[in-house]
Amino acid sequence: MDTEDVLDAPSVAVPAPSWCPSGGAERPESVVLGVRSQDDGGLTYLAEPLPAAEVLPLVPEGILPTRVLRFASHCVSDCAHRAGNECTLISKISQLPPVDEAKLPRCHLRARCKWWQQSGADACGRCPAVSTTLLATDTLGGRAADPTVTPAQLQEWITANPDGPAA
């Protein structure tokens, strides 16, 4: 094979990775997706992503970064929420009571988002309510985030607890 054959060989397109809108801050490609509200824990999306490595040093000591920020990173095959090519987390989140889907949040990640690719607007409408750091009192969120809980088990729990966890 001569050099010309190599240069003329068709290039193989490598697909861009899907992004997880609930990714960790520690990955090199991680970005800050949004900031959590102190009042209700809701998410305010940033107009443009910021590299997590630049923002993490600004979080005061003693505060978990995931308590105040939401990170996005590549969807990885060894994720605890991955089953084949599917994200079981968004499958479970899609079963949670719906939030106002009349207006999808503005999000720079949507075109590459694993949740959007898998569940579309249903995922986007619930995304702002997802928190990477759960409060001990958030039983439903804890069940949804637990990779050992199946979507069917989560639905059973929701059906058995229509008013949420007992106070």
Side-chain angles (χ1 to χ4, degrees):
M1 177 186 290
D2 63 22
T3 309
E4 246 179 78
D5 291 334
V6 173
L7 295 176
D8 291 337
S11 61
V12 176
V14 176
S18 294
W19 281 71
C20 173
S22 188
E26 69 285 347
R27 298 189 52 87
E29 77 281 357
S30 295
V31 295
V32 176
L33 181 63
V35 178
R36 291 244 160 255
S37 165
Q38 182 177 346
D39 297 330
D40 65 3
L43 186 67
T44 301
Y45 290 85
L46 299 180
E48 293 296 325
L50 294 172
E54 292 178 17
V55 177
L56 286 171
L58 304 175
V59 176
E61 190 174 326
I63 296 179
L64 278 172
T66 53
R67 187 79 178 112
V68 293
L69 301 171
R70 177 86 167 275
F71 298 94
S73 60
H74 290 163
C75 180
V76 294
S77 61
D78 63 348
C79 175
H81 294 288
R82 188 92 178 248
N85 198 31
E86 297 294 310
C87 176
T88 61
L89 182 58
I90 193 53
S91 296
K92 290 188 282 186
I93 290 168
S94 294
Q95 294 184 39
L96 300 179
V99 294
D100 182 13
E101 294 181 36
K103 183 179 176 192
L104 293 180
R106 183 177 178 276
C107 177
H108 70 275
L109 191 65
R110 189 168 293 131
R112 299 169 300 186
C113 178
K114 177 66 175 172
W115 293 4
W116 173 261
Q117 294 164 0
Q118 189 172 321
S119 299
D122 191 46
C124 276
R126 288 174 168 85
C127 187
V130 174
S131 178
T132 308
T133 299
L134 297 169
L135 297 174
T137 57
D138 186 1
T139 307
L140 180 57
R143 288 181 185 275
D146 182 345
T148 65
V149 173
T150 66
Q153 290 169 327
L154 180 63
Q155 187 56 51
E156 279 179 33
W157 188 88
I158 292 170
T159 301
N161 298 279
D163 298 323

